[in-house]
Amino acid sequence: MKASPAQTKFTGGIFSRLLFGRVDSERYPTGVADLVNYIVLIQGPVTRRPGSLYVAPTYGAGSVTARLKRFIFSTTQAYLLEFSNLKLRFYRNNAAILEANVAITGITQANPGVVTAVAHGFSNGDEVEIAAVTGMTQVNGRRFTVAGVTANTFQLSGVNTTAYTAYAAGGTVARVYTLTTPYVTADLFNLMFTQSADVLYVTHNNYEPRKITRTAHTVWSVNIILFLDGPYLTANSTTTTITPSATTGVVTLTASAPVFTSTDAQGPNAGRFVRIKHSSTWGYAVITNFASSTSVTASVINAFGAATASANWRLGLNSLTTGYPSAVTFSGDRLFFGGTTSYPQRFDGSKLGDYENFAPTDTAGVVTTDSAVSFTTNSNDVQAILWMTDNDKGLLIGTTSGEWIARPSVLGEVLSATNIDAKQFTFYGSAPIEPVKAGESVLFVQKQRRKLREITFVQQTDKFTSPDLTRVAEHISQSGFKQIAYTQEPQGIVWATLVNGAMAACTFERDLDGSVIAAWHSHAIGGYGDASNGPALVESMEIAPSADGLRDDVWMVVKRYIGGQTVRYVEYLDKLFDEEDSQSDMHFVDSGVVYNGTPATVLSGLWHLEGQSVAILGDGAIFPAQTVTNGQITMTSAVSQAHLGFAYNSDGQRLRDEAGAADGTALGKTRRTNRLAFLFDRVGQFKIGPDFSTLTPLYFRTPAVPMGDPPPLFTGIHSEPFDGPYDFDGSICWRQDTPTSGTILAIAPQLTTQDRG
């Protein structure tokens, strides 16, 4: 039986091997057996993943891992924050933020090289970037570690400039803008964030809640949040009293029975809150010194009503004694914290519009609609809060054993201290990974880290559901999800880093009729991750608006093995190659550098790839790979535009065709593909074959293209004989391994199926 079963869309994405027999599935004709470094487009085609662009090494010359977090004030004021061990750095407009330039007046040819820069103000261990030097151009555009500091000079640590061209004149040096934080490496990926304008709030059970504030591009601060009032534990229900020695100032608080612990007074800025009511007046103070379990010193913030004993008192919720919240978000113009160590099921919302004030009442004890709110989820087991996020239906909460929604107990009214309820709507349990919003859906990782679930509200049933988006490709997350993020433009895609350093993505869109596209594709970043030539590893990933504000960029921290040592680079994926781009704009190399200028044969700025073999596209043509030496390569002919970086393979494999047979299914019957047609859009070099060990290149050059010119990108149908074997699979594989583009619109094999197996 002869058939031509065309595949006209790929929105089924990668299929698990467990589903290879599901030829009856409606999704089967749109799926693939494998797809690496291709992106499934919402419209149906697959297009080659663009390459990445190199930005900078992480802190410590790339020696330490880092986590990226976006800070979005507007589409034109977007930043990436690099958290590493006790350090914080910043990126804007695709570059690291630097301090003010200092003029260079000399650089020696020595080991190590010594830079003269009057009153530079640097310290040993600082990292700096040098630019615009004439003569010794080998130092331009590079990052160095400062050593041997004097008032007007410093060494380039570990850099031998003896063989460099002699310094002639000019140049500037600038320190990489860096702040100190308390966060150690082991805790970086458990930090939770939420943002309001120029303030990013940060939580973790082991640290007092902090806020990162931006006042200018190079003026940032990291500070402990000094809450105005609260949040508090429930009011004392015993006969124990607390007596303040005075109503204002620094006072002694004396308890009639043990109340305080030594850690109540500990904290970089202040200790635990104490709220005491005298008559109808609440006053509060913060503990500053511990004397005994019945006596502490405190600083009064709001005056006590009297200096007498009172059994009406409350201790603060957050302290070194009780721990700190794990989750944070904004909802309904309140700042919410949840999951405090000692009270893991509790969440608290600030006063309405007053984000750092958690006063449960006014000073007269009156609860108003804008008073702070507090709630503890009620369940049979301890369900620690791991994340929270806002939704138009209420406050969504992920816990260790299920997912909850908090909203007004009387629908149609405003959530308040007297009008709040929380109900569990699913029982999957969450991992401590920040969820993402995708359209009207919220996506979260299930507690075992293997499944990505979508929280969506079903109008017909008036309930939330949480379908598994990894059901058809459960193998893709075998090592476990580590982070997830979402690009909205130009394609709705969930990007994920995995525990093993791999990266996966899911093209995701839910239509108004309830149908959903969830097409998985995997991604392998170019370069080696260790001495055994294992793959490069993606240790962190984040999404931020592009510098021009027209799309969302995927940023990564990539771990590689270069020059005998492990390094980590901050990089971002280039834009999708589209019809507005010229052939010379193709960027399909990783950790890449782009040259644009007057025609040149010597291309520099490649120190981060020293000793590595790089793929090259020059003026739209493929050049032979070269090894980087002294930060540069020499081209065989001059080019005015070049893309240089690590090569990577983009691979695809079709599922077994189900074209039917005279007596029903084609399963279990031998078949052979004798001809194969592809409908391409702007494809460069391309290979096909029955497996990846026997690939044959396709040729698109025509006699009309002069020799020496690169063949133009091919658009249209390419059909040619295909020497497929007689077997049960009829496998079709393809690969692109050169720095060229490729979009596949359809695949149409011509095959013959034997009616007898």
Side-chain angles (χ1 to χ4, degrees):
M1 175 179 171
K2 294 183 178 180
S4 298
Q7 182 166 356
T8 58
K9 59 181 180 179
F10 302 85
T11 50
I14 297 175
F15 264 46
S16 161
R17 294 183 64 86
L18 299 177
L19 295 175
F20 280 7
R22 288 299 307 276
V23 296
D24 60 324
S25 167
E26 291 183 0
R27 191 169 177 173
Y28 188 92
T30 67
V32 290
D34 202 9
L35 200 63
V36 181
N37 289 327
Y38 280 101
I39 292 172
V40 178
L41 303 180
I42 292 291
Q43 295 84 353
V46 293
T47 192
R48 197 175 187 205
R49 169 183 69 78
S52 67
L53 290 150
Y54 169 78
V55 179
T58 61
Y59 180 80
S63 62
V64 300
T65 190
R67 177 185 176 179
L68 300 177
K69 179 62 186 177
R70 65 179 184 175
F71 185 103
I72 311 299
F73 182 77
S74 67
T75 55
T76 58
Q77 296 187 69
Y79 303 84
L80 263 295
L81 278 56
E82 176 200 307
F83 288 85
S84 59
N85 189 55
L86 305 177
K87 299 296 180 181
L88 177 60
R89 286 181 166 173
F90 307 85
Y91 298 84
R92 181 173 182 264
N93 292 341
N94 301 335
I97 291 181
L98 308 176
E99 296 180 6
N101 286 330
V102 178
I104 293 173
T105 56
I107 307 177
T108 64
Q109 291 172 297
N111 186 16
V114 177
V115 178
T116 300
V118 177
H120 53 73
F122 302 149
S123 301
N124 290 335
D126 285 346
E127 294 181 31
V128 298
E129 291 189 7
I130 293 177
V133 168
T134 57
M136 193 180 287
T137 57
Q138 294 93 335
V139 299
N140 288 333
R142 294 175 63 186
R143 184 169 291 186
F144 302 94
T145 301
V146 170
V149 167
T150 70
N152 299 317
T153 68
F154 61 88
Q155 298 173 5
L156 302 178
S157 180
V159 178
N160 185 351
T161 59
T162 304
Y164 288 7
T165 309
Y167 173 84
T172 59
V173 58
R175 180 163 44 196
V176 181
Y177 185 62
T178 307
L179 297 183
T180 298
T181 78
Y183 307 117
V184 298
T185 300
D187 295 330
L188 295 180
F189 289 91
N190 287 322
L191 298 176
M192 292 289 174
F193 304 89
T194 195
Q195 185 180 346
S196 174
D198 271 330
V199 180
L200 182 71
Y201 292 90
V202 190
T203 58
H204 187 289
N205 279 143
N206 296 340
Y207 305 89
E208 298 92 336
R210 281 169 168 78
K211 58 182 179 180
I212 299 171
T213 305
R214 183 204 75 146
T215 53
H217 294 319
T218 56
V219 183
W220 298 71
S221 61
V222 181
N223 297 301
I224 293 172
I225 302 171
L226 298 179
F227 294 108
L228 180 60
D229 188 10
Y232 294 99
L233 299 178
T234 56
N236 171 51
S237 60
T238 72
T239 58
T240 301
T241 63
I242 296 179
T243 305
S245 62
T247 58
T248 60
V250 177
V251 302
T252 298
L253 301 179
T254 303
S256 62
V259 169
F260 308 111
T261 64
S262 60
T263 50
D264 286 345
Q266 295 179 16
N269 284 356
R272 195 174 191 179
F273 275 114
V274 180
R275 208 173 202 248
I276 307 174
K277 186 178 183 181
H278 291 89
S279 185
S280 61
T281 301
W282 281 98
Y284 55 95
V286 63
I287 298 172
T288 57
N289 186 64
F290 174 83
S292 71
S293 61
T294 59
S295 179
V296 296
T297 302
S299 179
V300 178
I301 300 173
N302 193 76
F304 294 121
T308 58
S310 173
N312 200 346
W313 51 266
R314 306 174 72 168
L315 291 178
L317 169 67
N318 299 322
S319 68
L320 194 61
T321 303
T322 54
Y324 302 102
S326 63
V328 62
T329 195
F330 280 97
S331 180
D333 203 26
R334 298 179 190 269
L335 178 60
F336 279 86
F337 292 95
T340 295
T341 310
S342 297
Y343 300 89
Q345 296 181 236
R346 174 172 164 168
F347 60 93
D348 294 84
S350 69
K351 292 187 66 175
L352 199 65
D354 192 357
Y355 304 141
E356 296 173 17
N357 187 344
F358 284 76
T361 68
D362 62 18
T363 55
V366 178
V367 178
T368 64
T369 55
D370 63 351
S371 294
V373 300
S374 176
F375 196 92
T376 299
T377 60
N378 184 15
S379 60
N380 293 328
D381 56 342
V382 177
Q383 297 195 20
I385 294 173
L386 300 176
W387 57 258
M388 300 186 297
T389 191
D390 189 33
N391 180 271
D392 63 349
K393 301 296 181 182
L395 175 66
L396 297 179
I397 302 169
T399 77
T400 50
S401 299
E403 292 66 52
W404 296 66
I405 183 166
R407 50 188 171 183
S409 51
V410 180
L411 297 181
E413 296 185 5
V414 177
L415 185 146
S416 69
T418 59
N419 187 20
I420 182 172
D421 190 22
K423 294 186 182 300
Q424 187 170 0
F425 59 86
T426 56
F427 296 83
Y428 297 111
S430 295
I433 297 173
E434 285 192 294
V436 298
K437 295 180 179 178
E440 296 184 356
S441 299
V442 171
L443 311 181
F444 72 96
V445 177
Q446 194 170 322
K447 60 184 175 183
Q448 294 85 359
R449 294 179 178 260
R450 292 288 304 276
K451 295 178 180 178
L452 180 67
R453 290 192 176 274
E454 174 201 8
I455 297 176
T456 185
F457 186 76
V458 181
Q459 296 287 350
Q460 294 87 337
T461 61
D462 193 35
K463 293 181 179 179
F464 284 97
T465 63
S466 296
D468 175 14
L469 298 183
T470 48
R471 183 179 57 170
V472 299
E474 95 296 330
H475 64 295
I476 207 161
S477 56
Q478 186 171 3
S479 72
F481 288 109
K482 184 178 181 181
Q483 285 181 289
I484 56 173
Y486 179 73
T487 57
Q488 183 171 306
E489 291 292 343
Q491 294 280 323
I493 300 174
V494 184
W495 294 85
T497 56
L498 304 177
V499 173
N500 66 357
M503 188 163 72
C506 178
T507 303
F508 176 82
E509 183 168 291
R510 179 171 289 279
D511 291 332
L512 294 176
D513 62 2
S515 62
V516 63
I517 293 174
W520 286 95
H521 29 104
S522 63
H523 298 272
I525 304 301
Y528 297 124
D530 55 38
S532 65
N533 292 342
L537 305 177
V538 180
E539 293 189 331
S540 182
M541 170 270 307
E542 181 58 290
I543 308 300
S546 60
D548 57 16
L550 298 180
R551 63 187 181 278
D552 295 323
D553 283 341
V554 180
W555 285 69
M556 306 172 292
V557 173
V558 183
K559 177 183 176 183
R560 293 192 177 87
Y561 189 79
I562 295 177
Q565 61 183 357
T566 297
V567 294
R568 293 167 175 87
Y569 295 153
V570 176
E571 307 173 11
Y572 66 95
L573 296 184
D574 196 18
K575 66 185 289 292
L576 290 177
F577 187 73
D578 58 37
E579 59 186 15
E580 296 179 355
D581 298 315
S582 68
Q583 184 165 332
S584 60
D585 292 327
M586 293 187 295
H587 187 83
F588 293 93
V589 292
D590 282 338
S591 200
V593 171
V594 179
Y595 172 78
N596 273 298
T598 56
T601 55
V602 177
L603 304 180
S604 57
L606 299 170
W607 285 98
H608 70 290
L609 299 175
E610 183 69 15
Q612 304 301 296
S613 176
V614 295
I616 307 166
L617 184 84
D619 292 335
I622 300 169
F623 280 71
Q626 291 199 38
T627 299
V628 177
T629 304
N630 292 326
Q632 64 186 31
I633 62 167
T634 301
M635 303 284 287
T636 54
S637 60
V639 295
S640 57
Q641 183 174 1
H643 302 257
L644 311 98
F646 288 113
Y648 59 90
N649 291 344
S650 293
D651 292 345
Q653 182 177 4
R654 291 195 70 210
L655 289 168
R656 181 186 295 109
D657 274 309
E658 174 50 50
D663 58 355
T665 181
L667 274 175
K669 298 179 175 64
T670 57
R671 79 281 302 280
R672 178 178 182 271
T673 301
N674 52 65
R675 193 169 190 87
L676 186 59
F678 280 84
L679 177 55
F680 289 122
D681 183 67
R682 306 194 76 194
V683 70
Q685 290 194 4
F686 201 86
K687 298 176 181 178
I688 61 173
D691 55 61
F692 289 108
S693 63
T694 54
L695 295 171
T696 301
L698 305 183
Y699 295 100
F700 303 117
R701 179 181 290 275
T702 67
V705 180
M707 293 302 296
D709 289 352
L713 300 177
F714 178 79
T715 295
I717 296 175
H718 185 97
S719 177
E720 66 175 51
F722 185 82
D723 190 20
Y726 281 103
D727 60 20
F728 292 122
D729 294 323
S731 177
I732 295 172
C733 301
W734 67 88
R735 169 173 290 170
Q736 290 186 265
D737 55 10
T738 60
T740 56
S741 65
T743 298
I744 304 170
L745 304 178
I747 303 176
Q750 295 179 14
L751 58 88
T752 301
T753 302
Q754 301 294 330
D755 285 332
R756 294 184 179 181

